[in-house]
Amino acid sequence: MDLFCKAQLSLWLVILACLSTDAYAVIASEKLNQNVTTANHSEFKTLQKQFHSGPEVTKACLECHTEAAKQVQQSLHWTWEYVQPKTFQTLGKRHVINSFCGSVTSNEPRCTSCHAGYGWTDMQQPPPTDETSVDCLVCHDTTGEYVKLPAGAGHPAYKPMESPAGSGHMQAPPDLTSIAQNVGHSQPANCGSCHFYGGGGDGVKHGDLDSSLVNPPKSLDVHLSHDGANLTCSDCHTTSGHITAGSRYQGNAHDTLGIDVPGHTDMSRASCESCHGPAPHDKAKLNEHVDRVACQSCHIPAFARGGVATKTWWDWSTAGRLDENNKPITLYDENGHLSYLSIKGDFHYAENVTPDYRWFNGTVHYTLQTDTIDTDNPPVQVNWIEGSAKDPDSRIWPFKIMHGKQPFDTVNKTLLVNHVYSPTDDSALWSNFDWAKALQAGTTIAGQPYSGQFDFIQTEMYWPISHMVGPADSAVKCSSCHASNSRLNGIPDIYIPARDHSSLLDKIGWGTALLMLIGSAAHAGGRGIAAVRRRRKKS
Amino acid sequence: MSNVMVFKRFERFWHWSQAALIFFLLFTGFEVHGTYSVLGFGQAVQLHTTAAWALITLWVFAIFWHFTTGEWRQYIPVKDKLGAVIYYYAVGTFTGASHPFKKTSLAKHNPLQRLAYLWLKLMISPLIWVSGLLYLFYNQLDQIGLGNLPLEWIALTHTAAAFLMLIFIIAHVYMATMGKTPLSLIKPMITGYEPEQEDAAAAPQQHNEETPS
Ligand code: HEM
């Protein structure tokens, strides 16, 4: 081989190598360390001291981050108030009733343990205005040591506490100094410290958000997994000036903007299309589904998949039953999940739950304290979703539908504010086990009109499923929907091959085919008999 | 005693590959319809679509062949002997009468076959073809101004056409066994040749048989 030939060959090899996907993969697999910063907080003099409270730490943070508290105080994480842009209902945790613990109002110090601040003890008042009441650490702690007290209105422990209660084991309070010196970008564990524990425990509320997402295997969540895209919550829930993208009150059910180039449409990033584009499949037929089917419907085959169960039924009406010694009762089901608590009533928990599917255009309505409910046709929809086949903005979405029974006013026909927790007196259900007293107290605190007559009514509540996206090969199979026992059996006004057919056409079709077969057989039989007869006659 | 070529090489190729494709399309199509589950829906759709494209290609060639060879004239309906052929299938075949029609390379279909195949080629196949393509390109129909056509109509038309095809095939396959022997009509479609001497020898015999009835 002469030199020229050799040179030509090696040139081709180089080009081939560059074109091969392997070469591309090497380049693409180099991930940025997202936690790199230009500041080492432990070197800052202002953080090198003993802190005695959360607000003290915040004060130190604000010396440099002068605008941070003002920004946080504009955010939903702070105001807990959201005017729904389509329905104009005033929503947010401050106002809504849900089908878990009911309402924040009247249970403040417990519920506001998940407020991004300190000391919000009265929902009838706006959150505290003092900038030092903003809690920087709950979102920016990287040590995992910062824990808010369950009923401390947002404060962590400042002195040793017995944990668990009654165990005699004393737990030292978090070391605020070391925590402050190690702050960084928010990680799933930060967001999860509230969002994974909604409804009173790990995984209880959402079903697609629980502690298994802190370090998930790729099979559970391709986005958050370190073996997967290794993203954090805020990579999709883009945050700018402490305002975070994404909403469950007004969702984006059909992102038609496609891939967001950084610097463009950044605050719409909490959608699959923002990264994957509007036609992400190799197979055209699959891309032809995305106008009517949300990505989540196929790519989240089940929720509560990470080993943490989610609550699917909560019957408050049975709460308050005590044992023969007047002590609260705790019961478990055969899987070891709670099934009864005197303070909360009966539950069902479930894992690997197949979602329910509904048309959804992103708009969610709520039954507020002031709204009249239709008590003749339960279940009452604590919230309900908009969407239909006719609406081009609607797609088929997966939901966790929470079921249960909740107290309502039989005269005024409203859902009632449920006073479950009180640190100071015995007005609340969890100390008195007396519904009449608890509802009287709750409605009084909330200023909700109450006739004094109550009963329990079955309710349901819709929770869109958007997390726990599995790898492509774990996506729901075609035949899970395209079959007579389809996952989409409840979805109206759309023809789904193999799910739908005209039974009249089928009857006529198969009937005629059968007649044709029988007719042919009879004709053949007739010919056979006639032939035999002719032969007999001849002989 | 000479054998006559009635089905040319292309014609036989066309017939049997079409038959195979249509059986396959029926099989996969009714899985897509939800009648049974063998391949799995996704696989069934993919194979159905591939086979459909093969069938369309075949049809394009067949149409070209029919027009360039003039063979399309074989399907022009004729009245002559139509009654006799119908009478044969309804009565004569039981009494042992001979078939009133004799295949030649100029007229290889009897008058009833002409009508049946014309119905197949002008009604059933185009109906399947058009509804199938509309089904396949459903998401692009707005580009040709058919965006308001409900999928349900397309699917039901396609299903109805598939039933028509099924019914046609049952009748067609049965009638194909109605020759002297069950295979005597099928053989020419395989070999291409119509054995003339058989018919010639058989004809007088049948006369005798016809008289007693
Ligand atoms: C031009 C040829 C054909 C084309 C382009 C075609 C195309 C299609 C398409 C796109 C579907 C729907 C698949 C989906 O759900 O995505 C379908 C379904 C179906 N096809 Fe075909 N097809 C053809 C020929 C045939 C033939 C020859 C038969 C049977 C004789 C047949 C029987 C069926 C049946 C029964 C269904 C199910 C319909 C339903 O339940 O909705 N197809 N076809």
Side-chain angles (χ1 to χ4, degrees):
Chain A
M1 211 190 283
D2 65 12
L3 199 65
F4 177 72
C5 251
K6 267 187 194 158
Q8 208 178 22
L9 185 70
S10 45
L11 184 68
W12 276 113
L13 283 176
V14 168
I15 291 173
L16 257 175
C18 292
L19 287 177
S20 81
T21 45
D22 279 354
Y24 174 75
V26 169
I27 299 161
S29 70
E30 263 177 47
K31 283 178 190 154
L32 290 178
N33 178 349
Q34 290 156 322
N35 292 317
V36 167
T37 68
T38 52
N40 179 351
H41 284 77
S42 68
E43 290 187 8
F44 295 153
K45 288 280 169 301
T46 188
L47 298 179
Q48 291 168 353
K49 65 176 185 203
Q50 198 61 43
F51 291 107
H52 302 286
S53 75
E56 243 181 72
V57 178
T58 301
K59 191 153 174 269
C61 302
L62 296 181
E63 285 173 28
C64 296
H65 300 278
T66 56
E67 305 310 301
K70 295 184 193 72
Q71 293 170 350
V72 171
Q73 287 179 325
Q74 299 299 311
S75 76
L76 195 59
H77 279 131
W78 184 262
T79 62
W80 286 13
E81 186 169 277
Y82 179 81
V83 178
Q84 219 288 358
K86 300 264 168 65
T87 66
F88 304 112
Q89 281 188 307
T90 300
L91 306 176
K93 281 176 82 75
R94 224 185 130 184
H95 301 282
V96 298
I97 287 183
N98 73 16
S99 56
F100 294 87
C101 289
S103 49
V104 176
T105 304
S106 83
N107 306 302
E108 284 86 349
R110 193 162 186 106
C111 304
T112 52
S113 64
C114 270
H115 185 237
Y118 303 112
W120 194 3
T121 51
D122 183 1
M123 277 296 120
Q124 301 306 96
Q125 303 298 322
T129 50
D130 189 358
E131 291 192 6
T132 60
S133 63
V134 169
D135 183 350
C136 307
L137 298 180
V138 70
C139 302
H140 295 288
D141 169 38
T142 64
T143 67
E145 298 295 312
Y146 184 79
V147 179
K148 284 162 161 283
L149 280 175
H155 288 279
Y158 298 132
K159 53 182 196 313
M161 308 274 281
E162 194 183 26
S163 169
S167 66
H169 174 258
M170 297 306 278
Q171 175 92 39
D175 178 353
L176 293 179
T177 304
S178 108
I179 290 167
Q181 290 182 357
N182 286 288
V183 289
H185 293 297
S186 300
Q187 296 297 311
N190 298 96
C191 308
S193 69
C194 289
H195 292 282
F196 294 164
Y197 296 90
D202 195 1
V204 165
K205 189 187 275 178
H206 289 273
D208 63 338
L209 291 175
D210 61 47
S211 64
S212 67
L213 293 179
V214 171
N215 185 9
K218 203 172 164 187
S219 59
L220 176 60
D221 193 301
V222 288
H223 298 118
L224 293 176
S225 174
H226 301 309
D227 304 325
N230 199 15
L231 301 177
T232 64
C233 308
S234 54
D235 285 319
C236 300
H237 295 279
T238 332
T239 302
S240 172
H242 286 100
I243 307 291
T244 305
S247 170
R248 198 170 44 71
Y249 292 124
Q250 176 59 57
N252 184 359
H254 192 182
D255 179 355
T256 49
L257 293 173
I259 293 177
D260 296 335
V261 176
H264 299 264
T265 54
D266 290 319
M267 294 311 276
S268 74
R269 194 142 309 151
S271 78
C272 311
E273 290 85 349
S274 296
C275 294
H276 296 281
H281 308 93
D282 292 335
K283 287 189 185 149
K285 203 75 221 167
L286 294 179
N287 285 333
E288 289 171 1
H289 282 69
V290 305
D291 57 337
R292 306 269 59 189
V293 184
C295 314
Q296 288 86 340
S297 290
C298 299
H299 291 281
I300 307 174
F303 56 85
R305 289 209 312 279
V308 178
T310 190
K311 213 176 260 192
T312 55
W313 166 261
W314 185 336
D315 179 358
W316 278 102
S317 70
T318 57
R321 215 169 69 222
L322 299 174
D323 70 6
E324 58 275 18
N325 303 319
N326 261 4
K327 288 274 181 298
I329 304 166
T330 302
L331 299 175
Y332 294 90
D333 67 14
E334 65 277 10
N335 299 316
H337 302 133
L338 277 171
S339 64
Y340 182 79
L341 278 176
S342 297
I343 57 169
K344 291 182 173 181
D346 280 297
F347 317 123
H348 298 163
Y349 274 94
E351 287 185 58
N352 290 314
V353 187
T354 303
D356 286 293
Y357 297 88
R358 295 287 187 275
W359 286 113
F360 182 42
N361 67 7
T363 302
V364 183
H365 299 251
Y366 271 76
T367 301
L368 296 170
Q369 286 173 31
T370 45
D371 292 328
T372 310
I373 57 175
D374 177 4
T375 54
D376 298 329
N377 295 298
V380 169
Q381 306 214 299
V382 176
N383 71 356
W384 72 97
I385 51 174
E386 260 185 30
S388 73
K390 276 158 230 89
D391 173 2
D393 293 331
S394 293
R395 294 201 290 177
I396 297 167
W397 267 74
F399 287 89
K400 171 187 170 182
I401 304 181
M402 179 65 191
H403 304 272
K405 284 187 180 173
Q406 290 175 248
F408 76 105
D409 186 323
T410 53
V411 178
N412 295 336
K413 300 202 184 301
T414 52
L415 292 174
L416 288 170
V417 168
N418 183 3
H419 185 37
V420 296
Y421 179 78
S422 168
T424 50
D425 55 23
D426 83 334
S427 61
L429 185 74
W430 292 356
S431 23
N432 60 27
F433 300 101
D434 181 341
W435 274 109
K437 259 173 136 177
L439 292 173
Q440 193 66 60
T443 51
T444 304
I445 295 167
Q448 183 185 24
Y450 179 41
S451 69
Q453 307 292 313
F454 71 93
D455 199 352
F456 295 85
I457 192 159
Q458 200 169 325
T459 61
E460 62 182 29
M461 191 169 187
Y462 289 82
W463 297 86
I465 296 295
S466 209
H467 309 98
M468 295 189 178
V469 172
D473 61 15
S474 72
V476 167
K477 298 279 163 292
C478 307
S479 50
S480 300
C481 300
H482 291 282
S484 50
N485 61 339
S486 170
R487 279 189 182 219
L488 302 184
N489 268 348
I491 298 290
D493 305 323
I494 186 169
Y495 182 89
I496 301 177
R499 183 196 75 161
D500 297 319
H501 50 89
S502 151
S503 40
L504 180 68
L505 177 60
D506 276 12
K507 275 195 199 107
I508 294 174
W510 292 121
T512 316
L514 193 66
L515 280 181
M516 187 57 90
L517 211 56
I518 293 171
S520 302
H523 197 265
R527 276 165 64 217
I529 293 168
V532 170
R533 279 219 192 117
R534 277 200 307 278
R535 216 170 292 143
R536 282 218 190 110
K537 239 183 224 169
K538 246 168 71 180
S539 58
Chain B
M1 296 288 274
S2 66
N3 281 356
V4 182
M5 160 82 90
V6 280
F7 296 117
K8 298 193 184 68
R9 189 195 295 269
F10 174 79
E11 218 171 357
R12 283 174 280 139
F13 164 74
W14 171 56
H15 175 271
W16 289 113
S17 51
Q18 169 167 263
L21 283 172
I22 284 179
F23 273 110
F24 188 69
L25 283 159
L26 270 173
F27 174 68
T28 50
F30 276 103
E31 174 149 13
V32 173
H33 185 61
T35 307
Y36 41 77
S37 176
V38 178
L39 301 164
F41 182 89
Q43 187 81 12
V45 167
Q46 204 169 338
L47 291 172
H48 189 80
T49 311
T50 310
W53 281 119
L55 187 62
I56 288 176
T57 313
L58 191 62
W59 269 337
V60 170
F61 277 113
I63 289 170
F64 181 75
W65 180 83
H66 275 90
F67 281 102
T68 50
T69 58
E71 285 288 315
W72 61 275
R73 290 194 190 84
Q74 300 269 4
Y75 301 92
I76 298 173
V78 289
K79 275 223 277 304
D80 180 39
K81 280 201 184 159
L82 178 59
V85 172
I86 294 175
Y87 182 81
Y88 168 76
Y89 286 123
V91 179
T93 181
F94 296 109
T95 60
S98 69
H99 200 292
F101 180 81
K102 173 127 179 24
K103 253 194 215 72
T104 67
S105 56
L106 286 177
K108 58 194 174 202
H109 301 317
N110 73 46
L112 191 62
Q113 277 177 311
R114 283 180 182 239
L115 279 185
Y117 298 154
L118 199 66
W119 164 249
L120 172 71
K121 291 183 173 191
L122 290 189
M123 266 310 293
I124 304 179
S125 292
L127 202 59
I128 286 205
W129 191 335
V130 170
S131 61
L133 287 173
L134 288 175
Y135 212 148
L136 196 58
F137 291 104
Y138 179 67
N139 279 59
Q140 286 82 42
L141 291 189
D142 51 343
Q143 291 167 21
I144 53 165
L146 290 176
N148 287 328
L149 197 61
L151 180 60
E152 184 163 11
W153 293 10
I154 297 172
L156 293 188
T157 307
H158 195 65
T159 311
F163 276 124
L164 288 177
M165 183 68 95
L166 175 66
I167 291 157
F168 176 89
I169 284 172
I170 295 172
H172 178 70
V173 169
Y174 171 59
M175 293 180 92
T177 65
M178 281 177 69
K180 263 320 73 42
T181 69
L183 288 178
S184 63
L185 294 179
I186 297 171
K187 231 183 259 162
M189 190 48 98
I190 299 172
T191 61
Y193 291 101
E194 177 82 356
E196 274 203 284
Q197 91 276 32
E198 242 183 60
D199 268 359
Q205 242 183 323
Q206 279 152 7
H207 250 343
N208 302 341
E209 274 178 15
E210 231 173 319
T211 31
S213 56

